[in-house]
Amino acid sequence: MSNVPVAVVTGSNKGIGFAIVRALCKQFPGDVYLTARDPGRGQEAVAKLQKEGLCALFHQLDIDDLQSIRALRDFLKEKYGGLNVLVNNAGIAFKVHDTTPFAVQAEVTLKTNFFGTRNVCTELLPLVKPYGKVVNVSSMVSSSALGGCSRELQQKFRSETITEDELVELMTKFVEDTKKSVHEKEGWPNTAYGVSKIGVTVLSRIQARMLNEKRKGDHILLNACCPGWVRTDMAGPKATKSPDEGAETPVYLALLPSDADSPHGQFLSNKTVRTW
Ligand code: NAP
């Protein structure tokens, strides 16, 4: 088993994830894994970095596929005895003018952005070594979507005692409510992406609390962040930040020094803690 530190970035064959891998290759003192659901696209991305003189390693990971997540888990356990940095970046968004029925958009978006990310956390968080860092890429849209929720839902999502099971129940209820076309009546905002990112931000707050309760002495720091509005296939060419600029806050959180005890359980943008 290797003692080399190891970092893993999900959904990193392109966009912000790719830029996060690029920055980690330059700054992280260990092995950096570029992961992708499609091995062809993943290997192509690794080759692109190689041309820049950077050495990323590749492992397949489809966050929608539990078997794929568990294969990565077993690989990390076997080869490194755990992991030091996990960046949950993989995500999807339907385009604004997409005519796919809203209930389908809700199911598909929540499946990857919330349930997929949660499954990765369930399998990989127990492997994170002392002084490790976990970064969940959410979005400022989670804050605006929170503002669009009913007062009762806002209270639940801001609660300091909400459990992961309760959050899963709420995310499941959103999908069910869209199928019955009652989501707005039930207090939800009209954005599947926004609700999925509420899920990611609240999940991060819960996970940080759990680390405090169960692994206090391990000094693991876990946060959610927004990369900003970034020129990628998801956000389009009019966005204000380059992918490298979008990677700055996630990379800052992934490389917090080992003597730092904060931020932890926070939501950040532009390297600044935001009020939830
Ligand atoms: P992007 O260019 O569309 O890249 C998304 C990445 O996620 C791709 O590598 C994609 O792989 C991967 N992915 C999607 N579903 C996956 C799955 N099931 N398993 C594994 N990988 C999967 O988007 P981006 O703009 O870089 O977004 C990265 C993250 O930042 C997302 O979480 C997004 O919500 C968040 N974000 C972006 C912005 C922005 O302005 N761009 C703003 C706020 C937050 P494929 O190539 O195989 O599809």
Side-chain angles (χ1 to χ4, degrees):
M1 196 192 299
S2 160
N3 267 333
V4 173
V6 57
V8 171
V9 184
T10 71
S12 47
N13 54 289
K14 67 176 184 178
I16 299 163
F18 181 74
I20 294 171
V21 169
R22 175 190 278 135
L24 289 179
C25 283
K26 292 176 186 170
Q27 298 174 57
F28 179 73
D31 289 351
V32 181
Y33 278 85
L34 183 154
T35 67
R37 53 182 159 184
D38 181 86
R41 288 197 287 276
Q43 297 287 7
E44 227 173 88
V46 167
K48 201 170 145 191
L49 288 173
Q50 207 156 25
K51 282 195 190 130
E52 297 178 20
L54 299 172
C55 182
L57 298 160
F58 175 72
H59 202 284
Q60 194 273 347
L61 176 65
D62 181 346
I63 72 164
D64 289 345
D65 175 359
L66 205 47
Q67 265 188 4
S68 165
I69 298 172
R70 288 182 174 156
L72 175 63
R73 176 201 64 189
D74 294 345
F75 168 79
L76 291 167
K77 221 192 249 180
E78 168 91 14
K79 178 148 191 213
Y80 299 93
L83 85 161
N84 303 81
V85 167
L86 171 64
V87 182
N88 281 303
N89 164 82
I92 59 157
F94 283 83
K95 301 287 178 215
V96 178
H97 298 295
D98 195 304
T99 53
T100 305
F102 188 66
V104 177
Q105 294 199 18
E107 181 148 42
V108 171
T109 307
L110 272 279
K111 181 180 178 197
T112 300
N113 294 4
F114 177 72
F115 291 103
T117 300
R118 173 177 181 253
N119 285 341
V120 172
C121 290
T122 304
E123 300 299 333
L124 296 191
L125 282 192
L127 260 65
V128 175
K129 293 183 180 182
Y131 298 94
K133 311 284 182 286
V134 181
V135 185
N136 294 333
V137 180
S138 184
S139 169
M140 286 303 280
V141 173
S142 69
S143 293
S144 50
L146 179 68
C149 287
S150 66
R151 213 195 274 210
E152 192 191 336
L153 279 174
Q154 286 191 34
Q155 217 168 31
K156 289 182 177 165
F157 290 133
R158 290 200 175 100
S159 158
E160 300 290 341
T161 54
I162 182 173
T163 63
E164 194 168 320
D165 285 347
E166 285 165 347
L167 177 63
V168 165
E169 219 170 278
L170 283 166
M171 292 291 117
T172 306
K173 181 176 185 306
F174 169 69
V175 174
E176 292 310 312
D177 285 349
T178 63
K179 286 181 187 162
K180 292 181 265 173
S181 296
V182 297
H183 61 284
E184 283 179 291
K185 199 178 116 252
E186 291 294 309
W188 296 102
N190 211 19
T191 159
Y193 180 77
V195 171
S196 77
K197 292 299 191 181
I198 290 178
V200 174
T201 303
V202 176
L203 182 68
S204 309
R205 287 160 57 87
I206 295 168
Q207 288 167 340
R209 226 174 56 219
M210 289 301 115
L211 286 170
N212 288 346
E213 285 177 18
K214 299 196 170 128
R215 297 183 62 185
K216 188 70 190 164
D218 284 349
H219 305 278
I220 295 165
L221 297 178
L222 183 153
N223 291 284
C225 69
C226 176
W229 190 30
V230 185
R231 290 186 294 279
T232 62
D233 288 347
M234 182 182 287
K238 287 191 189 143
T240 47
K241 286 188 182 183
S242 68
D244 289 333
E245 288 166 336
E248 281 175 16
T249 297
V251 170
Y252 156 74
L253 291 170
L255 297 178
L256 286 167
S258 56
D259 60 352
D261 56 8
S262 68
H264 177 59
Q266 302 291 342
F267 173 63
L268 293 90
S269 69
N270 284 332
K271 300 184 193 170
T272 307
V273 172
R274 306 291 168 188
T275 308
W276 177 244

